[in-house]
Amino acid sequence: MTEKQDTERIAEARREGLAALAIVSDPNCLPRQAASHLVGAWEALRGPPNEDDDLPSWVRRDLASAKVERREPTVKFLESCADEAALQRLSEDEMRALIQTLLARVRTHERGEATKEAADKSTFALWGRRFGAWAGIVVVFALVALRPWTYQGVGQWHGAYYPGKDFRGEPDVRREADVDFSWGALPPTDSIPSDRFAARFTTCLHLDEGVEAAFQLIADDAARLIIDGEDVIDLWDVKEGEKGEKGEKIEMPRSFGREYELDAGVHSVVVEYREEDEAAEVHFLATFDQDVPPGPLPSSMLEYPGETFDEDNPCGIE
Amino acid sequence: MSRIAPSDAQGAWYDRVRVGVVMLLATAVVLTFRDYGVTLDEGFHLSYGFHIIRFFGSGFTNLTALTYRIDYLYGGGFDASGMIFRAWTRAFLQPYEAIHLYGALLGVLGVAGTGRLTRLLAGPRAALLSVTMLATTSVYYGHMFNNPKDLPFAVGYVWGLYYLFRIFDAFPRLPRRLVLQASFALGMAMSVRIGGLLLLCYLGLLAFVFIGYYAWLTRDAEATYRTAKRTVVQALLVSGGAWFVMLAWWPWAMLDPIRRPLAALTRMSQFIDHRRYMPFAGEQVYNLDPPWDYLLHYFAFKLPEYVVVVFVAATFVGLGALVSGAYKSLGFRRCVQLGVLGIAIFFPPVYAVYKGSPLYDGLRHFLFIVPPIIVVVAMSADRLISEAQTRWGTAGWVAVVVVLAGLLGDQVATVARYHPHQYVYFNRFIGGLAGAHGQYSTDYYAASYKAAVQQLPQRLWDSEREKYLEGVYRIGGCVGEFRGLRNLPGNFIYKAPGDAPYDFDISFTRGDCHLKEAEHPEIYSVEVDGGPLTVVRDMRLISLPRERAARLRRLEQAEERRKEARKKAKKKRPKPRKKKPAKKTGGLQND
């Protein structure tokens, strides 16, 4: 058979295949009406028949050898491929799948068997590129949205919660991202009472250069800030219900702030807190920029002192 | 028939640009979602989502989701899936940030769905226009971030319409994949709001019209019967699938899968749990007895001007085509699809007006018809471009495109100007937000508190640093504890109304709340486009008597308006019928 004849019969197969597809896709036609076109397409694809090879056998062999189906063709499916009577019994989805298979075979014939492998590869590469592009886009969006570099992890503060208000007993220890708690009437941990407890928060502050910082401690009831062993803010003495200097009622929570100079290097920062009764809260704020109000200490400037450390020198400063 | 007409090279270019616009929108979302405030509904929806997940997680033993406020009448399609998203992102995002991101991404999906729907109906160029138009429609854009009900429903509605139209193209043989996709889209819409049942009604309508058309074409009773049977079965398959998807997110409805969703629908269509007076065209109206043109005003004033003009014109052109028979040139399927699109736009608000449903908060309950409106506007603009090209060649085409680009550019500038309060947008027909202030509901969702509260520490730090360090400030007003303290450091505490005096009053403009403490000087306010949203007052100072008098005058005027509205509402209400005395039968009487 000449090359021209080959081209013509493949074109014929394509026409028949597309006609079958059009019928199956047309809601006003019954799927079985596509059967004759499908048989015509297979016949065109096969070319002049051999005497000892009927069409169903040829199609079965062609499909089985080519494996153009995504799944291995089932026996029932293969048997129906070129038998018009069997085709008419197929469901619409089966018919549609068969037509798609046929058209894939037509495309393969058009490209020539030699190029089939390359074509498969290029299809794979195309889908791979698409998938890669979409995955990349999703990753970029996720990075921009979630900003994982701002993730504070488990926190740089060592928090120790004591069941008594004088720091005695076995503490509950956990890492905290920040000293910013409003417990209200609830206990800070499962094993600590909601009243008459104490807590100590410890971290190591790293400064690249000396700064004039402003620290602020807000607490209900008592709290103090200790930097490098020195009391910087002390709100430890006043209790709930006590009167102030002028006899006025002291309203809780209380706030006290202080501007304080710090040299470059590592500084141990300790916040101690004591709860008497009723509501409980403690907040520690700081700023290193005179134009910005105090806020939480950035975790990037802090270092966790470890699970165990010397309480007099938690950061091991020499 | 292919579901989408094959693209030529130009069509493919439009498609690529459309994807680019959606990507641009997604980029804007991920860069800005942290800026948005928490709205009044969000807290409850967050809790509801949590309870739904606990219902499943506890092996159906934790039943809080079955009785949680009034939320159990809603499916948890958004709330429960949002809870899952929050769990995934909790290492990086606070719960409200996470839900804002999730909602906004869903909004982007809605924009993409609008593009798909438009492409199906009018091709790639119209699809590009619709995506750009919706992405720059402030009222849609603003609601994407913090509306847990209306926006997700709008997304489900537009995707539902898209799949309905694809189903109509494929009737009576629906590919299994299409059945699954349509079931999911319709089910998700219904799982946010039971009003999504409308989509199933549209499906029934489409099936009915298809069968009728087939019968008319074939004039063969047996063939029609077979086709009708198949069509109905497939429509039922889609409906059943959608119902299943809806129930999967809705614990309360699972207990009685047929009756309870229908009971929720009845309850929602007579929703009377919110009762309030609200400004409307300068008067105070009662939300249970809204004027018939309530929605008309809001749609006219809250959509971009060009959208209003083009949509009204398109409606008249459509009606003209219907009367003159020009619609026939479109072909049967496209005609029916456009007809159903029209029904999807007009039926819900018209029915609400007819039934006298309670209305409040502007158009937010009808946000779901904004994307279909944009589809119509985009199709009209696309047609305009084609007409200009046909009549005046390239010059005409370029002229229309330049005008459109100008209009869209104006909307992009508006979205930027209103950031992050886009949902309060009012167009120039009413004079922008400044013109709408006092006349219509603006920041009814209290989203502007975040911006108001965030400024306070910096202002105080700048003006009274020593006092700032050594004292605790008390805030109060309509802001409430949660919204007030959420964005403030620990040296601020909240004082409830009637509690001890407080230092700063933070109140939004809804219900003239910002005027309640008007004798105290305003230190700053959150304003957009000249319209105030939230006012912060220093309660430690008393302003001049003149201001106090002005405040009292305003309050009196507001009270007068309320009284007037009450009188009107009373007049309109039908008098209760006198009961006939029960006949004495000597037996038991009914209660």
Side-chain angles (χ1 to χ4, degrees), chain A residues 25-31 92-93 134 141 145-147 151 216 218 251 253 255-257 290-294, chain B residues 1 23 27 31 33-34 91 93 171-173 176 214 230 333 458 461 465 468-472 490-491 495:
Chain A
S25 305
D26 188 340
N28 292 319
C29 297
L30 298 170
E92 182 198 334
D93 283 336
W134 280 109
F141 276 119
L146 303 180
R147 301 179 192 171
Y151 177 51
Q216 190 173 16
I218 303 115
E251 197 173 344
S255 166
F256 191 79
Q290 295 295 308
D291 296 330
V292 179
Chain B
M1 189 195 298
M23 289 291 166
T27 307
L31 289 175
F33 71 94
R34 286 181 173 83
L93 298 174
F171 262 153
R173 295 194 189 89
R176 267 174 294 186
Y214 189 87
R230 185 167 188 150
R333 284 179 193 261
Q458 185 68 56
W461 179 253
R465 181 170 304 194
Y468 187 96
L469 278 176
E470 304 221 345
V472 170
N491 55 328
K495 290 289 179 185

Side-chain angles (χ1 to χ4, degrees), chain A residues 25-296:
Chain A
S25 305
D26 188 340
N28 292 319
C29 297
L30 298 170
R32 64 170 181 265
Q33 290 171 314
S36 60
H37 288 287
L38 197 52
V39 172
W42 282 121
E43 279 178 348
L45 206 56
R46 179 182 61 162
N50 297 322
E51 285 178 5
D52 54 345
D53 194 9
D54 62 342
L55 184 61
S57 313
W58 179 86
V59 171
R60 226 169 287 149
R61 202 172 55 247
D62 188 55
L63 278 183
S65 62
K67 290 183 185 170
V68 290
E69 281 286 288
R70 282 183 194 164
R71 288 170 299 169
E72 195 71 24
T74 62
V75 175
K76 181 195 167 200
F77 192 67
L78 285 175
E79 279 177 350
S80 62
C81 281
D83 181 340
E84 193 166 332
L87 276 175
Q88 291 187 355
R89 289 194 295 275
L90 287 183
S91 73
E92 182 198 334
D93 283 336
E94 286 172 326
M95 179 74 90
R96 189 183 288 273
L98 203 53
I99 295 168
Q100 299 291 3
T101 306
L102 166 84
L103 289 173
R105 289 299 294 146
V106 170
R107 282 194 292 275
T108 309
H109 279 273
E110 283 173 341
R111 285 196 297 266
E113 288 292 338
T115 58
K116 179 179 177 298
E117 200 176 331
D120 287 349
K121 274 185 183 170
S122 71
T123 308
F124 179 77
L126 178 68
W127 279 102
R129 276 202 300 276
R130 279 188 185 173
F131 177 77
W134 280 109
I137 288 167
V138 169
V139 168
V140 168
F141 276 119
L143 284 174
V144 175
L146 303 180
R147 301 179 192 171
W149 54 90
T150 62
Y151 177 51
Q152 294 195 346
V154 284
Q156 305 299 338
W157 288 87
H158 176 278
Y161 298 86
Y162 294 83
K165 56 184 187 177
D166 50 1
F167 295 99
R168 285 189 190 165
E170 193 62 31
D172 267 4
V173 174
R174 65 184 188 199
R175 291 180 76 154
E176 304 287 8
D178 204 359
V179 180
D180 184 18
F181 301 102
S182 293
W183 294 293
L186 298 174
T189 73
D190 291 341
S191 58
I192 299 293
S194 56
D195 288 325
R196 293 174 192 81
F197 70 87
R200 181 181 289 121
F201 305 96
T202 310
T203 191
C204 302
L205 172 66
H206 287 256
L207 291 175
D208 295 333
E209 55 186 26
V211 290
E212 179 139 353
F215 296 109
Q216 190 173 16
L217 204 52
I218 303 115
D220 178 357
D221 296 293
R224 63 186 162 206
L225 170 68
I226 303 157
I227 297 180
D228 297 334
E230 185 186 337
D231 279 4
V232 175
I233 297 176
D234 193 343
L235 288 169
W236 198 252
D237 292 336
V238 182
K239 294 175 186 172
E240 185 97 31
E242 264 187 36
K243 305 287 183 189
E245 285 175 6
K246 295 174 187 172
E248 79 283 7
K249 188 188 171 193
I250 295 175
E251 197 173 344
M252 290 292 178
R254 293 170 303 150
S255 166
F256 191 79
R258 184 174 167 190
E259 295 189 51
Y260 191 76
E261 277 188 30
L262 285 172
D263 298 330
V266 182
H267 302 273
S268 66
V269 180
V270 179
V271 174
E272 288 186 340
Y273 170 74
R274 188 185 77 232
E275 161 63 0
E276 296 286 345
D277 53 17
E278 297 186 359
E281 65 178 290
V282 59
H283 311 271
F284 171 57
L285 307 169
T287 179
F288 303 108
D289 182 343
Q290 295 295 308
D291 296 330
V292 179

Side-chain angles (χ1 to χ4, degrees), chain A residues 1-15 40-48 58 106 109:
Chain A
M1 197 184 296
T2 64
E3 194 175 325
K4 189 180 174 188
Q5 283 171 322
D6 271 349
T7 310
E8 279 175 6
R9 79 183 165 77
I10 291 168
E12 173 66 15
R14 169 180 281 280
R15 276 195 296 276
W42 282 121
E43 279 178 348
L45 206 56
R46 179 182 61 162
W58 179 86
V106 170
H109 279 273

Side-chain angles (χ1 to χ4, degrees), chain B residues 163-483:
Chain B
Y163 281 112
L164 286 184
F165 293 167
R166 276 190 56 191
I167 282 176
F168 189 64
D169 272 343
F171 262 153
R173 295 194 189 89
L174 308 185
R176 267 174 294 186
R177 193 173 171 183
L178 181 57
V179 171
L180 291 174
Q181 287 171 330
S183 299
F184 184 73
L186 270 61
M188 287 309 286
M190 293 194 301
S191 77
V192 176
R193 267 195 166 170
I194 189 59
L197 271 175
L198 271 177
L199 290 165
L200 293 190
C201 298
Y202 302 153
L203 175 62
L205 177 67
L206 286 170
F208 179 76
V209 170
F210 174 78
I211 294 166
Y213 182 65
Y214 189 87
W216 181 77
L217 271 184
T218 57
R219 291 170 174 85
D220 180 334
E222 197 183 332
T224 303
Y225 169 73
R226 277 200 306 271
T227 305
K229 193 172 143 190
R230 185 167 188 150
T231 306
V232 169
V233 165
Q234 298 208 321
L236 286 176
L237 259 180
V238 173
S239 306
W243 204 267
F244 178 80
V245 171
M246 173 190 75
L247 290 176
W249 298 101
W250 196 357
W252 179 77
M254 280 178 189
L255 300 182
D256 194 344
I258 304 296
R259 274 195 298 187
R260 284 198 170 184
L262 298 177
L265 181 69
T266 311
R267 178 83 189 273
M268 284 297 161
S269 61
Q270 300 157 357
F271 193 75
I272 53 167
D273 292 59
H274 292 307
R275 296 163 190 234
R276 69 175 74 133
Y277 284 90
M278 54 196 177
F280 176 74
E283 292 183 4
Q284 291 289 319
V285 298
Y286 192 40
N287 74 316
L288 296 189
D289 186 22
W292 70 271
D293 54 349
Y294 180 86
L295 286 172
L296 212 56
H297 279 230
Y298 276 101
F299 275 101
F301 295 143
K302 282 193 78 74
L303 291 174
E305 301 85 353
Y306 80 91
V307 170
V308 176
V309 171
V310 175
F311 181 71
V312 170
T315 303
F316 283 110
V317 169
L319 287 174
L322 203 63
V323 173
S324 67
Y327 65 91
K328 288 173 186 167
S329 63
L330 287 171
F332 166 71
R333 284 179 193 261
R334 198 47 32 89
C335 261
V336 173
Q337 286 166 340
L338 290 178
V340 172
L341 184 69
I343 291 171
I345 292 171
F346 286 106
F347 176 72
V350 169
Y351 183 73
V353 171
Y354 169 71
K355 290 287 285 181
S357 300
L359 297 170
Y360 54 92
D361 288 358
L363 58 72
R364 84 171 166 86
H365 295 104
F366 289 84
L367 192 68
F368 63 93
I369 63 173
V370 170
I373 286 176
I374 294 292
V375 171
V376 171
V377 173
M379 286 168 63
S380 308
D382 180 63
R383 186 66 191 267
L384 208 61
I385 294 171
S386 299
E387 286 292 322
Q389 195 170 15
T390 310
R391 289 178 188 222
W392 301 295
T394 311
W397 182 88
V398 169
V400 177
V401 169
V402 166
V403 171
L404 274 176
L407 292 169
L408 290 171
D410 176 48
Q411 291 310 311
V412 172
T414 303
V415 168
R417 200 169 65 246
Y418 272 73
H419 181 77
H421 311 291
Q422 289 93 346
Y423 92 99
V424 301
Y425 167 78
F426 276 86
N427 64 28
R428 295 182 186 94
F429 293 155
I430 186 75
L433 189 65
H437 173 63
Q439 306 279 312
Y440 293 94
S441 298
T442 54
D443 184 23
Y444 49 81
Y445 244 171
S448 62
Y449 278 135
K450 182 177 180 176
V453 162
Q454 277 179 329
Q455 297 180 35
L456 192 53
Q458 185 68 56
R459 284 175 181 265
L460 294 173
W461 179 253
D462 291 342
S463 59
E464 44 184 66
R465 181 170 304 194
E466 281 185 20
K467 201 169 182 180
Y468 187 96
L469 278 176
E470 304 221 345
V472 170
Y473 294 106
R474 298 158 299 179
I475 61 163
C478 296
V479 65
E481 184 170 7
F482 170 71
R483 277 170 197 78

